[in-house]
Amino acid sequence: MTAAEYLYDLRKRLKQLPQQEIDEALSYYEEYFSEAGPGGEAELINRLGTPAQVASTIISEYAMKDMSGQGETPKKSSSVKTMWIVIIAVLASPIAVPLAIALISVVFSLLVAIFSVYFSLLVAALAMVIAGIVAAGIGVVGLFAAPLEAIAILGVSLISLSLGLALGIGVIKLGQLTIKGITWIFAKILGRKGGQK
């Protein structure tokens, strides 16, 4: 890929930004490529990353600047600030992307672990209910052969049945509260970000 192709691709990927932002970013990279010269283009492209990565960084920096209210009336000194932001963003992107992936993985793993525990508890509750029903059936049949043992089995079956039902209802209620809590947390995070415009 040549410098011209790189800059053309970058311009296409930045088309959603205001024209002034696009021009500032591209003039910065044009200067960067002209300083590198034709012999240093390939090395510079390797250091910068793909046009998609650079565009993503520029767009996210612009969005952050826009959310903080700095994107209204850019001045001459803002082009220097924009260049520094682009440099810092390019240098930080090899670190930021893996950190974001790791954070998403941790959150996903926690959610899977929480729901796995709930599922296991529900299976245990169901097993206790089934065991209670089966034991009750054995106790009723055993009333004719050994009444005292059958009454003990019936008592154990009722305890197992009631514990299984209580555990099942408790897990379902706790699961509903957990889902509401997770929804509330995500709504707060997304609402707070949306409210900073």
Side-chain angles (χ1 to χ4, degrees):
M1 177 180 281
T2 66
E5 292 169 335
Y6 189 94
L7 293 170
Y8 177 76
D9 193 7
L10 184 60
R11 179 179 290 275
K12 280 195 321 189
R13 293 176 185 278
L14 295 175
K15 66 184 175 187
Q16 64 213 39
L17 293 179
Q19 190 59 44
Q20 184 174 356
E21 293 289 331
I22 296 172
D23 293 341
E24 285 178 4
L26 285 172
S27 71
Y28 168 74
Y29 283 103
E30 285 169 0
E31 283 182 40
Y32 214 10
F33 275 109
S34 67
E35 287 175 11
E41 285 181 1
E43 183 183 338
L44 180 59
I45 289 172
N46 284 337
R47 274 193 321 200
L48 292 175
T50 66
Q53 292 169 327
V54 173
S56 173
T57 303
I58 293 170
I59 291 168
S60 65
E61 289 298 323
Y62 174 76
M64 290 183 66
K65 183 171 75 172
D66 190 44
M67 284 189 338
S68 65
Q70 297 172 2
E72 305 289 352
T73 55
K75 299 185 170 90
K76 186 74 174 166
S77 65
S78 73
S79 64
V80 174
K81 187 191 281 185
T82 302
M83 282 192 284
W84 279 110
I85 289 173
V86 169
I87 291 170
I88 291 169
V90 167
L91 293 175
S93 66
I95 297 168
V97 171
L99 284 177
I101 291 171
L103 181 63
I104 290 169
S105 299
V106 167
V107 169
F108 179 73
S109 299
L110 285 174
L111 290 176
V112 167
I114 288 169
F115 288 108
S116 297
V117 168
Y118 286 141
F119 180 74
S120 300
L121 289 173
L122 278 175
V123 168
L126 182 62
M128 290 174 78
V129 169
I130 291 172
I133 292 171
V134 170
I138 292 170
V140 169
V141 170
L143 277 175
F144 302 107
L148 291 178
E149 289 86 2
I151 292 173
I153 291 173
L154 281 173
V156 170
S157 70
L158 291 175
I159 291 172
S160 176
L161 188 62
S162 60
L163 286 176
L165 289 173
L167 180 63
I169 291 169
V171 169
I172 290 171
K173 293 288 185 189
L174 190 60
Q176 290 171 342
L177 287 174
T178 303
I179 290 172
K180 284 181 184 176
I182 291 170
T183 306
W184 180 80
I185 288 170
F186 280 116
K188 280 289 189 186
I189 291 171
L190 296 175
R192 190 170 296 152
K193 284 187 178 178
Q196 290 178 351
K197 287 185 179 179

